Amino acid sequence: MHIHTLIDDSATLAALCDRMKAAPFVAVDTEFMRENTFWPELCLVQIADGNEAAAIDPMAPGIDLSPLLELMTNNEDVLKVFHAGGQDIEIVHNLTGKTPYPLFDTQIAAMALGQGEQVGYSNLVDQWLGITLDKGARFTDWARRPLDKRQIDYAIGDVTHLATIFPMMLAKLRKTGRGAWLDQEMEKLADPKNYATEPADAWLRVKIASRKPDVLGRLRALAGWREHEARNKNLPRGRIMKDETLADIALHPPKAQGDLSRVRGLSASWAGNDIGARMMGALGNAEPMPAEDMPPRDDRKPGMGKDGALVADLLKLLLKIRAKETNVAPRLLARTDELEMLAAGQRDGLAILEGWRFEQFGRDALALVEGKLAFAVLGGRLKMTRAEPD
């Protein structure tokens, strides 16, 4: 594979992307910093197609990234391969409003091949190629320039190994007949809705011990205000106000701005400065949460009770058995909340009762809930037995 040095000019990048348009896939990775900003700061992009690989410097003065972004989001002939690509995809979405498509995530694929639920990249490389990666450059400051050769080699290695592993992984998925299992997972990962964060929905991320409409109304107003402040200043949300402080103010709202000097977690200066005034304005405009916007209760699973909880535990045991038998990561087969909803009597809208999940797990799970399947110990080993029809 031909390895380029760091690409830091528009013409070389455009030529690279033009060549890669003919590739069946490209492996992609990014390096970024987000500790001090609201938006992740893109510091490096690595890309490989099996024939050549390069690191691209998005911080280079005057560089035009549009050919790269076009390849990522508007060329459906080239599959984009990531490993645990959620944050990489988020960065592309922040830049374009679109997500890379079509895409393939090797961490999700590893679950279908029984290699663990969240296998790390280093473990993936070790499992498939027998190579132990040098982790020394992992925690480097990618925003600092110039980057040295070791940093660039480390970064490009991420995609050269990925470009080697992907065809091997794809061949095994086809051999086991599990490639189709992943189609829905990849479509969900590529859904732009996963990466569009609306200020009006920011309150959903904040934990609060109340379901009172007035409290949740204040929480929504405050979280939306903080989101705007953080975006405008390009600062992490916690630098504006920590979640705990935000929730505390929603629960115990100050009557006047001067009271902010006594709020734990806020600087005393908020009692008289502009940001404190803006926060009080948001608080003053808050309205109680309408009934239709109220979050579902944690105990929304009807009829769960003690018996339902026992059934859910049996379903979890069944999941472990089935996952071991099929050599698939349990989380790919079913989520815990789905098992609890099934145990509570819900049948509609559960992924485990549809498609390949139903064939591999859902049918038996439903049979267990309906009393048509039971556990027995035979010869010292746990077995599943089907009830004889009446």
Side-chain angles (χ1 to χ4, degrees), residues 192-258:
K193 293 178 182 177
N194 296 327
Y195 310 97
T197 55
E198 297 297 331
D201 297 328
W203 67 279
L204 295 168
R205 299 191 198 93
V206 183
K207 294 181 179 180
I208 191 167
S210 176
R211 284 185 51 82
K212 294 180 179 179
D214 58 334
V215 172
L216 294 181
R218 290 193 292 266
L219 182 72
R220 178 159 66 178
L222 288 169
W225 162 80
R226 182 182 67 171
E227 196 78 2
H228 284 295
E229 291 281 344
R231 291 186 183 199
N232 291 339
K233 293 179 170 63
N234 195 22
L235 289 172
R237 297 176 183 91
R239 293 278 186 90
I240 303 297
M241 181 186 293
K242 294 189 180 301
D243 285 1
E244 295 82 359
T245 304
L246 195 150
D248 189 47
I249 292 174
L251 286 164
H252 310 288
K255 294 181 179 179
Q257 185 178 351

Side-chain angles (χ1 to χ4, degrees), residues 16 38 52 64 97 99 101 106 111 116 125 137 140 177 200 234 295 302 333 357-358 385:
L16 174 73
F38 181 88
E52 57 181 327
D64 180 9
T99 57
Y101 189 84
T106 52
M111 290 196 287
V125 173
T140 193
N234 195 22
L333 283 174
R357 286 186 174 87
F358 179 72
T385 62

Side-chain angles (χ1 to χ4, degrees), residues 306-323:
K306 291 183 178 179
D307 290 342
L310 289 173
V311 174
D313 287 340
L314 290 175
L315 286 170
K316 293 171 187 176
L317 177 58
L318 176 64
L319 177 60
K320 289 182 179 180
I321 293 172
R322 182 62 73 234

Side-chain angles (χ1 to χ4, degrees), residues 83 104-117 119 124 127-128 169 173 182 327-329 332:
H83 182 78
F104 184 95
D105 192 305
T106 52
Q107 187 178 70
I108 296 175
M111 290 196 287
L113 296 173
Q115 295 179 324
E117 293 199 348
V119 60
L124 187 83
Q127 289 175 12
W128 285 88
M169 183 173 275
L173 286 168
L182 300 176
N327 194 29
V328 175
L332 188 62

Side-chain angles (χ1 to χ4, degrees), residues 266-278:
L266 292 185
S267 167
S269 63
W270 280 48
N273 64 14
D274 289 343
I275 191 170
R278 290 194 296 272

